[in-house]
Amino acid sequence: MRVLRPGGRLLVADFWPMARKYAAHMGHGSLRGLGPGYWYGGPWLGVTRLHAVKQG
């Protein structure tokens, strides 16, 4: 987030446990599961999208 200009967006798609850690570390952002089309390894480890916008 520190390299983004104000209003800049960060999009990350990763396995859900990691995406949750990223959001917790940053303190903001929205998480959304990407569904069965993005199950790399099976439904027990789905991919989640993290979307954050730098305020400023």
Side-chain angles (χ1 to χ4, degrees):
M1 292 295 288
R2 68 180 178 85
V3 299
L4 295 176
R5 65 180 177 204
R9 296 178 186 214
L10 173 70
L11 293 172
V12 176
D14 204 347
F15 296 120
W16 67 266
M18 295 308 299
R20 287 178 44 192
K21 284 184 181 183
Y22 302 150
H25 179 74
M26 290 189 311
H28 70 283
S30 61
L31 296 170
R32 183 174 77 92
L34 294 179
Y38 292 91
W39 284 346
Y40 300 109
W44 52 88
L45 194 60
V47 174
T48 298
R49 182 194 75 186
L50 166 64
H51 177 235
V53 178
K54 183 172 184 175
Q55 304 298 315

